Amino acid sequence: MPTPYDLRCNDHPSTYFVQDRKSKKELTRLALQDQRLTAAMGGVLPEQPDPTVFHRVLDVGCGTGGWLIEAAQTYPAMSLVGIDISQRMIEYASAQAKAHQVNDRVTFHVMDALRPLDFPVASFDLANARYSTSYLRTWDWPELLSELLRVTCPGGVIRVTESEVILQSNSSALTRLFEMLQFALFRAAHLFEDASTGLTSHLTPLFYQYGCEQVQTKTYTTECRVGTVEVQELYENLKLFFQTIRPFLQKWGHITNDYEVIYQQALREMLQPDFLAVGTTHTVWGTKPKPKS
């Protein structure tokens, strides 16, 4: 079985799996992804029994800020902060918050989630992260979870949302593209094992191991069929994604010489009248322990 390279002594300033985060294609893709994921899950915090208890909220790796902006619109009492390593993303997210008239409650900061966060202890009631697989390596999770616990109030919630790597579909070409992605993610140490659940199956043990209590999981399964809004959004997302991810696949995967042929075939198959895709997403959350009396 292939193993990931040992990258710890050869880090780069950004470990994000798309090399050019300043590109308009990646910005557009992330905005689409944000919208599609939140809609598929049924809202910004669908698994939480009473989201109004979260007054101060942090979103790590916020990208274009879509989740934070929708959270602010849904819960007017929330004060929200987003961080991202990309100056371009932060500028875009700030402009979007202003355009949606929530910039009085939503702020954004350039910050590296792989380093100690520039917030005091117990600053937030909820610390959120979605799709962190895109930049976290396996050895980064302990540090991140420890930092999220540090900046969260006792009794507050740590929340992580990740999708399984492989999108199940009846498109043979699309399946091949996702298999290349899975292999590359594993080789680059973004997955604990070379499997579609190579991260998601490890989240609950990680939460317990690094100090969370009352850890729970909710799984979301989304079907995309031709003729629906979901499949059109998926098509637009993947059309951009497998363009922007290509350098990453070339570096870490076993990308074939006929990649462009496979990519174009996948796009055609996604438009066929019988196309069906099923994606699986997991949200894991736990609480920060309260001091023992």
Side-chain angles (χ1 to χ4, degrees):
M1 176 182 291
T3 57
Y5 294 129
D6 187 353
L7 310 176
R8 275 169 275 200
C9 61
N10 191 29
D11 285 352
H12 297 281
S14 174
T15 57
Y16 189 62
F17 63 8
V18 173
Q19 293 181 2
D20 186 8
R21 289 199 79 194
K22 295 181 180 180
S23 74
K24 186 176 181 180
K25 284 183 179 179
E26 179 60 3
L27 192 149
T28 301
R29 186 192 72 79
L30 285 175
L32 285 170
Q33 176 180 271
D34 244 358
Q35 182 181 12
R36 188 175 68 86
L37 178 59
T38 301
M41 294 175 62
V44 290
L45 292 166
E47 79 290 341
Q48 299 298 317
D50 182 13
T52 61
V53 301
F54 305 126
H55 300 293
R56 295 167 296 168
V57 174
L58 171 67
D59 189 29
V60 175
C62 64
T64 57
W67 184 85
L68 284 165
I69 292 169
E70 189 162 343
Q73 293 171 325
T74 306
Y75 303 106
M78 280 186 183
S79 175
L80 305 105
V81 177
I83 65 167
D84 199 283
I85 196 172
S86 168
Q87 178 73 42
R88 176 76 173 96
M89 293 293 170
I90 291 301
E91 290 172 355
Y92 178 88
S94 299
Q96 289 298 302
K98 185 175 182 180
H100 287 86
Q101 300 181 336
V102 293
N103 54 310
D104 58 329
R105 291 185 294 114
V106 183
T107 57
F108 297 94
H109 304 280
V110 176
M111 199 176 298
D112 187 352
L114 302 182
R115 299 180 181 276
L117 303 179
D118 191 18
F119 300 111
V121 172
S123 295
F124 302 99
D125 303 307
L126 169 69
N128 180 70
R130 307 202 307 176
Y131 284 171
S132 302
T133 318
S134 60
Y135 64 92
L136 287 183
R137 286 76 51 89
T138 53
W139 59 81
D140 294 320
W141 281 97
E143 288 82 359
L144 177 66
L145 291 174
S146 297
E147 272 298 282
L148 295 185
L149 280 167
R150 183 185 68 81
V151 302
T152 301
C153 298
V157 171
I158 313 299
R159 178 182 188 263
V160 169
T161 298
E162 296 288 340
S163 291
E164 296 181 9
V165 178
I166 302 290
L167 180 73
Q168 303 295 330
S169 78
N170 56 2
S171 165
S172 60
L174 189 60
T175 298
R176 289 184 66 187
L177 292 177
F178 273 107
E179 288 172 348
M180 292 182 203
L181 173 64
Q182 177 181 298
F183 184 83
L185 286 170
F186 177 65
R187 289 290 300 277
H190 291 254
L191 300 178
F192 289 89
E193 55 187 314
D194 185 13
S196 185
T197 57
L199 171 62
T200 55
S201 64
H202 293 258
L203 287 175
T204 295
L206 283 169
F207 268 58
Y208 277 120
Q209 184 177 355
Y210 294 99
C212 288
E213 296 181 339
Q214 302 173 10
V215 180
Q216 300 179 66
T217 302
K218 184 167 183 179
T219 299
Y220 301 88
T221 302
T222 307
E223 286 192 0
C224 295
R225 298 178 182 272
V226 169
T228 64
V229 173
E230 289 80 10
V231 81
Q232 183 60 38
E233 291 175 344
L234 177 67
Y235 177 88
E236 296 298 334
N237 188 322
L238 295 183
K239 181 180 179 180
L240 293 171
F241 179 69
F242 282 108
Q243 290 177 344
T244 58
I245 202 71
R246 186 168 181 170
F248 178 81
L249 299 181
Q250 289 173 326
K251 181 177 181 180
W252 295 111
H254 51 82
I255 190 168
T256 57
N257 292 332
D258 59 346
Y259 181 86
E260 183 64 24
V261 174
I262 298 170
Y263 169 73
Q264 293 297 335
Q265 180 184 340
L267 295 182
R268 291 193 300 271
E269 290 176 350
M270 290 178 68
L271 296 176
Q272 295 303 305
D274 63 341
F275 176 74
L276 172 65
V278 180
T280 304
T281 299
H282 304 269
T283 293
V284 179
W285 71 98
T287 59
K288 179 176 179 177
K290 293 181 180 179
K292 295 181 179 179
S293 56

